[in-house]
Amino acid sequence: QALPVLHSVKKDPTLSIIVVGASGDLAKKKIFPALFALFYEDFLTENFTIFGYARTKLSDEELRNMISATLTCRVDQRENCADKMDQFLQRCFYHSGQYNSEDDFSKLDCKLKEKEAGRLPNRLFYLSIPPNIFVDVVRCVSHRASSESGWTRVIVEKPFGRDSDSSRELTRSFKQYLTEEQIFRIDHYLGKELVENLSVLRFSNLVFEPLWSRNYIRNVQLIFSEDFGTEGRGGYFDNYGIIRDIMQNHLLQILALFAMETPVSLDAEDIRNEKVKVLRSMRPLQLQDVVVGQYKGHSNGGKSYQGYTDDPTVPKNSLTPTFAAAALFIDNARWDGVPFLMKAGKALHTKRAEIRVQFRHVPGNLYKRIIGSDSDKATNELVLRVQPDEAIFLKINNKVPGLGMRLDRSDLNLFYSARYRGEIPDAYERLLLDAIEGERRLFIRSDELDAAWALFTPLLKALEEKKVAPELYPYGSRGPVGAHYLAAKHNVRWGDISGEYS
Amino acid sequence: QALPVLHSVKKDPTLSIIVVGASGDLAKKKIFPALFALFYEDFLTENFTIFGYARTKLSDEELRNMISATLTCRVDQRENCADKMDQFLQRCFYHSGQYNSEDDFSKLDCKLKEKEAGRLPNRLFYLSIPPNIFVDVVRCVSHRASSESGWTRVIVEKPFGRDSDSSRELTRSFKQYLTEEQIFRIDHYLGKELVENLSVLRFSNLVFEPLWSRNYIRNVQLIFSEDFGTEGRGGYFDNYGIIRDIMQNHLLQILALFAMETPVSLDAEDIRNEKVKVLRSMRPLQLQDVVVGQYKGHSNGGKSYQGYTDDPTVPKNSLTPTFAAAALFIDNARWDGVPFLMKAGKALHTKRAEIRVQFRHVPGNLYKRIIGSDSDKATNELVLRVQPDEAIFLKINNKVPGLGMRLDRSDLNLFYSARYRGEIPDAYERLLLDAIEGERRLFIRSDELDAAWALFTPLLKALEEKKVAPELYPYGSRGPVGAHYLAAKHNVRWGDISGEYS
Amino acid sequence: QALPVLHSVKKDPTLSIIVVGASGDLAKKKIFPALFALFYEDFLTENFTIFGYARTKLSDEELRNMISATLTCRVDQRENCADKMDQFLQRCFYHSGQYNSEDDFSKLDCKLKEKEAGRLPNRLFYLSIPPNIFVDVVRCVSHRASSESGWTRVIVEKPFGRDSDSSRELTRSFKQYLTEEQIFRIDHYLGKELVENLSVLRFSNLVFEPLWSRNYIRNVQLIFSEDFGTEGRGGYFDNYGIIRDIMQNHLLQILALFAMETPVSLDAEDIRNEKVKVLRSMRPLQLQDVVVGQYKGHSNGGKSYQGYTDDPTVPKNSLTPTFAAAALFIDNARWDGVPFLMKAGKALHTKRAEIRVQFRHVPGNLYKRIIGSDSDKATNELVLRVQPDEAIFLKINNKVPGLGMRLDRSDLNLFYSARYRGEIPDAYERLLLDAIEGERRLFIRSDELDAAWALFTPLLKALEEKKVAPELYPYGSRGPVGAHYLAAKHNVRWGDISGEYS
Amino acid sequence: QALPVLHSVKKDPTLSIIVVGASGDLAKKKIFPALFALFYEDFLTENFTIFGYARTKLSDEELRNMISATLTCRVDQRENCADKMDQFLQRCFYHSGQYNSEDDFSKLDCKLKEKEAGRLPNRLFYLSIPPNIFVDVVRCVSHRASSESGWTRVIVEKPFGRDSDSSRELTRSFKQYLTEEQIFRIDHYLGKELVENLSVLRFSNLVFEPLWSRNYIRNVQLIFSEDFGTEGRGGYFDNYGIIRDIMQNHLLQILALFAMETPVSLDAEDIRNEKVKVLRSMRPLQLQDVVVGQYKGHSNGGKSYQGYTDDPTVPKNSLTPTFAAAALFIDNARWDGVPFLMKAGKALHTKRAEIRVQFRHVPGNLYKRIIGSDSDKATNELVLRVQPDEAIFLKINNKVPGLGMRLDRSDLNLFYSARYRGEIPDAYERLLLDAIEGERRLFIRSDELDAAWALFTPLLKALEEKKVAPELYPYGSRGPVGAHYLAAKHNVRWGDISGEYS
């Protein structure tokens, strides 16, 4: 039997990862494959065990079959893949139980202890379950399945409430059972390669920092688009809408990383401190800062696509936005007056996530004659394409080779796929590894979450109270035209929708 | 007969281009091909005539044969090339004469008038001859072969003297016969695509100007290397040496364009005013600012290469440098304390011309642990590769994709050949066209030349008076090791010789 | 009897200020006069009571006599001063007790409740006592004399430990009885007018912020000098020394305010967050970064002054520094490489506290001929004189009026006494008022204190372990000459000791 | 007899100063007193002679009497003043002649030669005469009274033409007789102490240069006001008007010095090159950029003041502006978008000439709550007061001493009279001395003059062709209210008319 050892680490710790909600989609598609990838790349400790937990009754073998259906190997090391899979699956076990039953968690605890075999036990619970049962599980874990001498950490997935009040209430409940250090709120966008790279680019390169302010940046655009709709699975989405689903978390998190001041170190708390500062410097959104849209059915090339409210899982009269564009402002010395435009939508013409930084025009008029009257057309632009095909572009004016003086915009570019061989790891791999290692940098702290909701809650309330009707746009289109008017109001031109831009 | 019309242009002007020294190498290899290219691309006026002038007796037909041997067509429009060549050659004529005979030039004048046929005559003389006969030709042209009613311009090739005194004397002589506006001193490096682009990059892109100063730039390197020696044609070179041949003109001109302040307009005089200002802000070079070298024989892979003094056209005891590295400083507010390092050499391991801008390291130590102790190793660098394969790179620190935090230096890059189809015109095409159009931007004004000699003359005198022996380096090597010590003295590391750099 | 009302304020609150250690020097000279000044200026709530607490047996009347001996009125409103004094003294009471007796504090509690008379009771304890009894008092206060429904705050004076360990232990003890919000660690230097103004100058004026970095600032000097020694009262001092007494708190606090990043708001926590960040970015001091001194006896003008070890309260062989100079560095992006020099000493030639900011020299050499070779002599300097005679100077180069071009350094200046009428309030007034109002901006948070000790502890340990002998300097002199060598090592010239400087 | 010695200086040169138009007002009030001051301060060479030249017949003695009536001594050295005056007057002579008579100038030449007595003769002609006879005098001087072996220089006073055409014609005429180096166009405003100091402040102080651009400066105001009208001497003025009289020269010259780029050296040609560059970067003025006014009669305190057209020397229906305000823009990288406002007027409430630099507001809103909603009200301002009472102010926000946080604007200031003892020399002294020493920095070159007229000529033509009626304003008032609307259009508030400003 393990003796409780406070504040120390045994030579030979064990790691138990408990996927609560193991039979769900996310678990199958993302969590188990990510765990396998970590195992495959030798990032897991020798003594690790994976437990699936759910209400469904399954044998260990059934779980293993389910998992193995989605496992694939890293492109670059296929040789011993089958062996590795086998080894991995042998570490996977299943425990069936109710989500609110302390007894069931006690039984789980017994099984865990058995695997831990007296070594220092560390336990990571991944809550892949609906938010209404978050607190029950956390209570059970805390009371019955916590590690006695090692650490216990809990990963939770969004949604973290629907607004300031519900989010604060959820946090309050968590804190009854967990300390801040134990809570790992995951935003998988923060695990994307280029988002990780954002701080590296800014802070390890001298050439970017001097440009990173209102003096040189005219606007920043955060763009997320999907080329498919809810497709018969709109139940959850309709309850939240695109603003809660994408903007308030993914895009806002990226904005905070983009705009924050230099942290005092790369430690999680220092970075999160700076993120909170940026969020607190922002103005809460008003109705006039936003345009909302909803896709309607559309036929194209003989194929027809259903509108949002045609989805049987969506109420016929739903006003839930599937598209939103918003203008945000940061009232601090660095960003005063620079519009940060966000745009997120489903069922658009393209699948893409990117950050576009548009620089100001060159003062003076040396090249005005050559460039033409619209000086904003020929400005520099930095594009960080998060997906697909990670890349960085810096658009610059360049002389077209040849006699005469003709300028055009060329790209200084870096394509990840051309530069770096090998597959880029999935966001979940990075985040799971971070949680295992106690690296909290990419997880959202309670005060961050609070500050984020503070920005969006007044807007969400207003949209819902006033029953604001979204502007309809055809499935597969470039979204509602209102987004252009919103941009124009702030003297911005969307960088992603333009003949001239790539 | 044409009436003299001052300061006006007839509807139907003619253009006569007289290549003085038509039988020389430069004429054959560069001037006639460039003229043909301009014709091919329709940049020449309809009524143009080309005259070769030299002492050799040749018929028009013999000249045409000589010219046609080196003509090629633009890669992208081969179709009608043969026709075009024929048309071009029909415009080429030859006149044989002495370089100091006013009578012979009078006869040329008659022939020119015949071709001009009463239309407004413009005449461009290209002096492709040794410097000792420059003044004779200029006198003859001025007295006997000037256009009476159109313009007369004279292109001269370097060398423009050997030092301040001889250069000033040459200028004085020119000015007896020509005005400043008529003199076109050619430096063909200024016709290179990337050199032309230098001002465009700096002044039409917001992102470069804020970085373009001592606050961010640690040093600038101007590098020119050839991978061959004098190869039996060292007579002229031995009289001048690499400093006069490359540094004092090509590299110094590029430096001036790189470092100058924003001109008030893109007009030639405004740009040349700014170039003169930079040159005047520089400290004249001293012996201790320079390292000189000379290549010696070397055998490699069974092949053996002759040393410089093995060249039969070179005196056995010659001390003429075939390599030089120099550190220059600009004592103005923008560049105070930033070393500008030049390096030029023959018989080196590679053929290359480039500008390398090394930025300072990021202040603070956020990434110091990750980057390691030598913070200067991981700095940004901007490379403008003039030849071969024109390109622009910006070296940045980037996160290596994958789990964990590892940085490397990647390039944001722009390869001309990938971005722009079609052949990049030769420098001579651009410069000839500019001279025809009266665009003086890329030609060197008398006061510029004077300022350039003022920087190098004390050094050249000291080298020659003290008979400074050059450091020997093997043919095909990376040059004398002294160049590294010179760089180190100023806390610089050459960017082109390094495993890590491209 | 007052009902406990959590988190609310009754219409009519009372304020009790308990000066623990009421018979001490500080209480007499600073605390009671400051309280009277606040009363005189109508800053105290109507229902306030002041209690002296100490071991000495005194009647209320005896306390009042003691207090009244040091009370003076504000210069500008003498009229009704005597009446005001009487009113004030009527609110002053005395309670005698042991510092570690919970019973005695229970009795105090009774008396307080009597005065509070059922209104909302707020209580401020001012601990004007030696540090070895801090914890006893805090325990007694917490257990027996806390306000039940209002707030209870405790002001503590330095020393807050002698090093990292003792300080952390003290904090830990406090936190057994008090929350962070209840602890008000006072550093009376932070109450000085010009220290308060420091943030205003930096953040409300556009003209300072662009200059506030390594790009423009060459060094920063924080200077504190007293023109008297321990004068028979060296007991306490000898135990701490000048580094603990002045540098680690007063000067370091000013440095942090000077150098911190822009806070997200002016709220206490935001400002203290930024101060902690600066402290954490600093390198801990090493022996070689410091020069220590000790004054020796000196006769001057017939008068003779005792040396430090001549003081009968000081051990004969004491090595305690009465003077120290130190060079500190902040390794962040703003301040990388800028030396922050501190100097503090007793028995020097002058009494002064000031911040001197020396700017870099102008790059380029436009005025070099006129200014002379030592370009650092003619640089701009910003002086914030904290005492005596508060003032701000900006030293600029100016043309001396008259024919010819001669430059000198003149001051753009602002003398507080000339600009602002009326007495400037004592630091204690401001800080007491802030504590009453719950404004924590100027008080030192536990993590700040920790970070401050982390910088000085290794140095203090090294000084003491190696028994480093201080350099002796004569009483009334400019301090040990070693301070100049320390400065010179970092390419700095002390701004306060120079014929040319004011 | 002196031998002509080209380009060399004899050991013992003489200086002859010929004041052409010696009986005029300017000569009496400014030129002779300035010459005396230079003599008094020992700035004149030992062998100097002063000649008055005019049509009036006067004896030497009569001239001396006339001169002596206006001579005064420098405040600080009264002792030997009478002696000095006597010595000075003994060097003064008179020659009567016609302004267009070469014979009369030949006679002057004889007298000059007599005084020069074979030493190296340098001659300075000061043309204190109406512009219509400039060219006659220059011709006579050039043909008959030039120094044969020393230098000959000619100082001319404005007006230099009325517009581009007449100015260019005048320059052309001058250049028939004089080289550019001989022409000294005087603008006595450039001789003012603070105008001289402008470059010193900008270029010898690190703290100003970083602020000196569109990034930090919101607008610049150049203000000139007189508190008296034409007062019976309006003949000349009515022909020119305030724009030509003050703006196109005095204020525009100051603007150019204020706004120019750093010159490559302090040499005259380098500074004038930069001034020309600024002028060429400016947009020519349009009608809508200007407000014009004319003062009307006004009674105040029992005293009545005549309006402009009440002046008997002014036509009754004159539309000549006695007041103008204008908005100018410099389209270069430094100043793009920054309004430069000029204001000049007669018969205003105050006499003053100053430059006011208004800085932008601090970005972010840290102090917004304290400062209030109009953030532009609390911005920094730099005031350079040229007259009266030379001074420099930097207005900064400062905490008002005392408890609580209240800000106000205080001045960091430098009053010349407090800092520098002794009288500040008159502008004419400096300029005369410069002309004698061949220092051309403060004189206006032909291309500068040309560029200046290019800016104002279209406006002047439009005003005159469209007979734009000036807005009337009362004598002694603050000028026409239209000036406020002009300022408001460019988001500017005049700094000199405001309760809050000094």
Side-chain angles (χ1 to χ4, degrees), chain D residues 462-492:
Chain D
L463 280 171
E464 281 154 17
E465 280 166 10
K466 304 202 173 170
K467 297 192 191 301
V468 174
E471 185 180 341
L472 299 181
Y473 60 95
Y475 193 114
S477 71
R478 288 156 187 258
V481 86
H484 290 292
Y485 286 91
L486 178 71
K489 199 166 75 177
H490 298 288
N491 210 14
V492 178

Side-chain angles (χ1 to χ4, degrees), chain B residues 183-199:
Chain B
I183 307 170
F184 286 70
R185 286 186 198 84
I186 209 167
D187 182 332
H188 72 271
Y189 253 73
L190 298 188
K192 298 269 181 192
E193 198 51 52
L194 253 162
V195 176
E196 263 285 80
N197 200 1
L198 193 49
S199 303

Side-chain angles (χ1 to χ4, degrees), chain A residues 262 264-265 267 270 274 277 280-281, chain C residues 262 264-265 267 270 274 277 280-281:
Chain A
T262 314
V264 70
S265 86
D267 292 350
D270 289 323
E274 297 303 331
K277 277 170 59 182
R280 286 181 48 214
S281 294
Chain C
T262 314
V264 69
S265 85
D267 291 350
D270 289 321
E274 297 303 331
K277 277 170 57 182
R280 286 180 48 212
S281 296

Side-chain angles (χ1 to χ4, degrees), chain D residues 208-259:
Chain D
F208 293 120
E209 191 56 21
L211 303 171
W212 220 257
S213 80
R214 63 198 295 275
N215 277 341
Y216 297 106
I217 292 179
R218 192 158 43 105
N219 65 70
V220 180
Q221 303 177 14
L222 302 140
I223 296 170
F224 172 96
S225 75
E226 282 177 345
D227 56 0
F228 49 89
T230 51
E231 320 291 340
R233 301 161 60 142
Y236 162 80
F237 181 85
D238 191 68
N239 198 20
Y240 287 90
I242 197 83
I243 295 176
R244 289 186 179 90
D245 202 43
I246 303 293
M247 278 196 173
Q248 183 269 350
N249 35 56
H250 303 333
L251 296 188
L252 188 62
Q253 285 293 321
I254 294 174
L255 184 155
L257 282 170
F258 178 93

